[in-house]
Amino acid sequence: MAKIRSEFDTLVHALAPELFRYAMGLCHNPHTAEDLVQETFLRGWRSRTDLRDSKAAKAWLYTILRNEHARLYERQRPEACDPSMLPDIPDHGYDTSAEAFVLRRALATLQADYRDPLLLQVIGGFSCREIGDILELNTNTVLTRLFRARKALRDLLTDDLQQEASL
Amino acid sequence: MNCLDFRRRLLTDPLSGDEDLLSHEATCTTCAPFARDLRAREIRMRSLLQNVVPPPGLAERVSLAARFQQRAERRRQWWYSAAAGVLLAVGVSMASLFSTSIERTNVALAQSVINHIEDEASHLRAAHPIPTTRVNGVFERFGAELAADIGPVHFAAECLMRQRNGVHLVMPGRMGPVTVFFMPGEMADTTMPVASARFNGEIVPTHWGSIAVVGEAGEAVDGLGERLAAAVRWPDPVQAGVSVPVVGELLAAGLVTQQKNG
């Protein structure tokens, strides 16, 4: 049991930060994100025997977090889902520039089908095949969604930055 | 690779080091600025998303929560084990109590039958058949009736067996008189033997109670109980709305005297 405990702690320390980033990408609220991360690991701990393979564990934890977020979203629409209501996040290292604000708003506006694979690629560093496994999509669909996500972001950012410039 | 393919593939992963992509970018003056712009945006996006600093102590809090959960699980497991143990003990006790109770009931019923016969041994000396109408009259008090000939009956009366009333018959057998008790409400799970130094017989279960058939030692009573059960149409106590009279009611009605006259 002590060995499993120690392996679990190692996993928590290695993956908690990036899972938090992923949660932030989904819910845009640091408190909700922390709750999501905690719940994800607790669920993982309850099924700890499945966590022995750390490579598989990472994808599995991302899946749990995504499902937890979906469940939370079903129960209550988090207020932060409205991009205009995005909270100020006082964490150090957080980019507060206008460009960052525009980019965050664009990401929040992005349709979930496009945002999910993008976050998994950018934050989780997953390959298209791994993203397909997590989202239960085939690789071609993942490629299409990544393409559309970036194209949509590009369009949104171009519009927003033009508006910012015109102010 | 044409420009459309290049842009399509680059948009799926702008930081890809794919050689086809790089070689197209190196040779296409239209796509090169597009690629540079896309990569710059990608780097800014990645930097924005990856620079989110998790709250201090997040991992420690998660580990601590898991420890608490582990303790709660252990406690819960202990309680489950304890509850299961208690349930098992209660179950075993109940089963033991139940089986002992059934055993005692069975023994008590068989012994009551013997006692009843011995207490009213005078009826065994009845040597002449009584009219069928008289036999039927006794059954009618219970809403029952003879549906077939049961052979000669030397004695028939309503009697008290334990706390319920039934029909007491004495019929001739090969080895001597055979006593038959129709005992409504005395439910038995299976055929039970009734034996003493002098008597030998069995108690046969029916859907409305049981029938005791007891003769002298050596009397062949096998199957007699079943034949009598088939010959007497006994109402279902629930369906017919006929309740088995208890001693108090019958005594009050003067229909029976406790075991004195059977």
Side-chain angles (χ1 to χ4, degrees), chain A residues 1 5 9 13 20-21 34 41-42 46 48 92-93 99 103-104 121-122 143 147 150 153-154, chain B residues 11-12 14 37 42 44-46 48 50-53 55 59-63 67 69-70 73:
Chain A
M1 180 55 90
R5 178 81 244 177
D9 284 345
H13 280 84
F20 179 79
R21 287 181 199 115
E34 182 169 348
F41 277 111
L42 289 183
R46 285 197 280 271
R48 49 191 167 270
H92 16 268
E99 189 191 11
L103 187 54
R104 268 197 294 273
Q121 186 187 51
V122 171
L143 285 167
F147 163 78
R150 286 202 173 84
L153 264 186
R154 198 177 159 81
Chain B
L11 276 164
T12 62
D37 177 56
E42 180 74 11
R44 278 200 295 278
M45 181 181 70
R46 287 187 181 225
L48 178 76
Q50 289 171 348
N51 279 348
V52 173
V53 178
E60 286 73 18
R61 280 197 295 282
V62 170
S63 289
R67 268 179 219 282
Q69 181 169 298
Q70 188 182 1
E73 275 171 17

Side-chain angles (χ1 to χ4, degrees), chain B residues 97-198:
Chain B
L97 197 64
F98 187 62
S99 67
T100 309
S101 154
I102 287 174
E103 213 169 274
R104 271 193 205 137
T105 305
N106 293 345
V107 168
L109 181 59
Q111 193 56 51
S112 293
V113 167
I114 295 288
N115 292 346
H116 195 130
I117 295 170
E118 286 175 346
D119 289 349
E120 302 185 5
S122 59
H123 299 316
L124 299 176
R125 290 194 288 274
H128 304 291
I130 58 171
T132 308
T133 49
R134 195 165 146 198
V135 178
N136 245 332
V138 177
F139 280 112
E140 277 169 9
R141 293 180 201 168
F142 293 86
E145 61 176 343
L146 288 172
D149 182 26
I150 59 170
V153 175
H154 291 180
F155 172 79
E158 187 172 345
C159 68
L160 177 67
M161 179 64 71
R162 301 209 292 188
Q163 293 300 306
R164 298 167 194 275
N165 291 84
V167 176
H168 182 169
L169 304 182
V170 177
M171 304 167 76
R174 286 187 183 171
M175 308 295 291
V178 173
T179 301
V180 178
F181 291 117
F182 289 77
M183 303 180 288
E186 288 288 3
M187 309 309 288
D189 293 331
T190 181
T191 301
M192 295 179 287
V194 177
S196 71
R198 179 180 167 187

Side-chain angles (χ1 to χ4, degrees), chain A residues 26-96:
Chain A
L26 293 174
C27 69
H28 316 291
N29 181 310
H31 306 296
T32 309
E34 182 169 348
D35 288 346
L36 283 171
V37 171
Q38 186 147 316
E39 187 55 33
T40 298
F41 277 111
L42 289 183
R43 279 182 182 268
W45 173 249
R46 285 197 280 271
S47 310
R48 49 191 167 270
T49 47
D50 297 333
L51 281 172
R52 306 304 288 271
D53 177 359
S54 60
K55 191 166 164 52
K58 179 178 165 179
W60 188 52
L61 289 168
Y62 268 81
T63 307
I64 296 176
L65 197 148
R66 185 171 164 271
N67 292 339
E68 278 301 308
H69 174 254
R71 220 190 315 272
L72 181 77
Y73 194 77
E74 276 170 19
R75 282 201 299 268
Q76 53 175 50
R77 283 182 69 92
E79 62 282 1
C81 280
D82 178 355
S84 63
M85 303 279 285
L86 288 177
D88 291 330
I89 302 168
D91 301 293
H92 16 268
Y94 205 75
D95 192 342
T96 52

